[in-house]
Amino acid sequence: MNIEKAVLSVITTNKSKIDGGAPIFLCETKEEMDNVAANLEAILDGISHALSDELYIIVKH
Amino acid sequence: MNEYTYPILFGVIVGTIARFVMLKTDYRQYPTYLHGKVIHIALGFIAAGLGSVAVPAIMEKEFTAVTFLTIAASQFREVRNMERNTLSELDSFELVPRGKTYIEGIAVAFEGRNYLVIFTSLISTLCYLVWNVWVAIIATIICYLIIRKFMSGSTLKDIVDIEQSDIHFDGAGLYVDTIYIMNIGLPARQKEILKYGMGFIITPKNADVRTTIANLGQRQAILHDVSVSMGVFRDSGTPALVPLIKRDLDDGRIGVFILPQDPDVERAKRVIGAVPVLENAIRMPSESKARKKESPSK
């Protein structure tokens, strides 16, 4: 089976919301989160999607 | 030199010219200068030769010679494979890919055009042998007209209405009019998209068209053609900047989101209107017998 989409990493400011699975990046502020997500997007060649204000995921399409 | 030399020569020449007429390089830039063209003119020449030789062969009661045409058929199927393979290989390096349906359409056109060449040569040689050169010339002109007819399929503007529409974000969701396109997380990306993006709503003119423009290949073809003609604000490493088309499930409209480098709305509309309707995407649910029985009044 071919997996076409995958969550490459998770970026969040709220540690209690997440656990395990993909690499997780914890950030202090929203700005830091935007910054980390922008970098990861370019590095991983995935798109950062916002699930909520405090949770981004990088998804490879 | 014998009585068949001139008819065959005539057939080969008009056939090759026919292939040349059908081989025009437009915005798609395919086939490219110059080698791609040489390949197809050479194949057109072979097709023309086969078409013109078939008639004298039958007149000489060499009926087995017709089996040559079957070799031609397999030869040109090979052309289709070749085109498909080349284009598929190249497609992975396009910023906005053509998509398989578009590629298949191009490949089929290449195969079909060789048969049109055979047909032209066959008819013109036949007319030359049965009547004379003048009848053959008239027949050739008629063939060219038929070819022109075959060449030009319909374009999107014949089957849909195209309207510009605003793009906006609702939270992280990008919308064209009321159609959801995708989720963009980063505020920086959102700004870029609002700055460079353009939205269009394509409304089908009838129920048949609804299915046609829902086809993913047809949608990809729209995106590819727009990106070729209008440029695209995108690079490798910025996967978030991707032109997309999504469908409104309620009424079959599609929302086109593009990132052109040229912000000319009218031109974008013209480009979308000029996108060919892919043969493989056309559906005719209204022709279905089962449907007709249900509603005889229609």
Side-chain angles (χ1 to χ4, degrees):
Chain A
M1 194 184 86
N2 246 346
I3 297 175
E4 281 180 5
K5 302 190 180 204
V7 178
L8 299 177
S9 79
V10 179
I11 307 122
T12 185
T13 51
N14 185 351
K15 197 184 174 185
S16 63
K17 288 264 185 186
I18 44 146
D19 196 7
I24 298 160
F25 295 81
L26 291 172
C27 302
E28 297 295 326
T29 61
K30 175 96 167 63
E31 286 69 43
E32 189 190 350
M33 192 165 79
D34 285 347
N35 211 356
V36 171
N39 274 327
L40 282 175
E41 188 179 85
I43 295 164
L44 297 171
D45 204 14
I47 302 181
S48 48
H49 297 293
L51 296 185
S52 69
D53 280 343
E54 49 193 21
L55 184 63
Y56 285 0
I57 54 172
I58 309 274
V59 180
K60 180 83 175 174
H61 287 276
Chain B
M1 295 281 265
N2 62 26
E3 74 220 84
Y4 296 128
T5 310
Y6 285 116
I8 290 177
L9 204 61
F10 182 81
V12 171
I13 290 171
V14 296
T16 313
I17 293 173
R19 187 69 191 94
F20 192 73
V21 169
M22 285 188 279
L23 198 65
K24 60 171 184 189
T25 304
D26 58 6
Y27 66 96
R28 283 175 278 251
Q29 282 299 306
Y30 193 84
T32 42
Y33 278 98
L34 191 57
H35 293 90
K37 281 198 168 182
V38 169
I39 291 171
H40 288 291
I41 289 175
L43 282 166
F45 176 75
I46 294 169
L50 285 165
S52 357
V53 171
V55 180
I58 291 170
M59 286 181 167
E60 290 291 317
K61 298 197 171 59
E62 296 280 351
F63 296 117
T64 46
V66 179
T67 52
F68 252 58
L69 293 176
T70 60
I71 300 173
S74 60
Q75 171 73 20
F76 296 129
R77 214 161 34 242
E78 206 48 47
V79 171
R80 177 165 156 192
N81 280 332
M82 176 186 85
E83 289 304 329
R84 184 195 295 122
N85 292 342
T86 317
L87 286 169
S88 306
E89 288 291 318
L90 296 176
D91 213 29
S92 55
F93 290 103
E94 300 272 359
L95 281 177
V96 180
R98 280 193 177 86
K100 288 209 168 79
T101 316
Y102 203 170
I103 289 177
E104 202 56 38
I106 296 174
V108 167
F110 274 109
E111 186 185 355
R113 284 173 186 188
N114 277 307
Y115 295 130
L116 287 177
V117 168
I118 294 186
F119 170 75
T120 308
S121 297
L122 194 110
I123 297 287
S124 55
T125 312
L126 184 71
C127 290
Y128 197 133
L129 283 169
V130 175
W131 293 288
N132 56 43
V133 65
W134 302 110
V135 178
I137 288 172
I138 293 168
T140 310
I141 293 169
I142 294 171
C143 283
Y144 279 179
L145 292 177
I146 294 172
I147 283 174
R148 287 221 83 89
K149 179 105 181 62
F150 266 108
M151 254 181 78
S152 49
S154 58
T155 51
L156 267 190
K157 65 176 174 296
D158 303 331
I159 61 168
V160 296
D161 296 314
I162 305 158
E163 283 303 321
Q164 201 221 349
S165 177
D166 67 313
I167 54 173
H168 60 272
F169 280 96
D170 183 4
L174 170 64
Y175 287 81
V176 170
D177 196 28
T178 53
I179 302 171
Y180 176 77
I181 303 289
M182 64 174 155
N183 178 312
I184 297 287
L186 293 176
R189 288 275 170 281
Q190 293 190 358
K191 253 183 234 145
E192 281 174 349
I193 281 173
L194 287 176
K195 186 174 170 198
Y196 293 100
M198 225 186 249
F200 293 90
I201 292 288
I202 297 183
T203 316
K205 284 185 183 165
N206 61 50
D208 288 345
V209 174
R210 198 183 283 193
T211 329
T212 304
I213 58 169
N215 183 293
L216 293 175
Q218 179 65 54
R219 293 195 226 170
Q220 192 60 41
I222 297 173
L223 293 175
H224 175 80
D225 273 9
V226 172
S227 307
V228 166
S229 302
M230 309 281 296
V232 60
F233 187 76
R234 171 174 168 75
D235 192 13
S236 61
T238 57
L241 299 171
V242 56
L244 274 179
I245 297 185
K246 295 283 174 193
R247 186 179 184 211
D248 186 332
L249 290 172
D250 290 331
D251 52 12
R253 294 177 309 154
I254 56 173
V256 182
F257 164 68
I258 55 172
L259 289 151
Q261 256 158 355
D262 175 1
D264 185 341
V265 173
E266 283 309 310
R267 196 194 299 175
K269 265 193 200 171
R270 278 204 305 277
V271 170
I272 294 176
V275 172
V277 179
L278 302 182
E279 280 177 58
N280 300 318
I282 297 173
R283 295 287 177 278
M284 289 286 170
S286 61
E287 300 285 314
S288 147
K289 283 193 185 113
R291 249 178 82 130
K292 275 180 189 156
K293 267 180 201 159
E294 269 171 36
S295 52
S297 57
K298 267 190 185 172

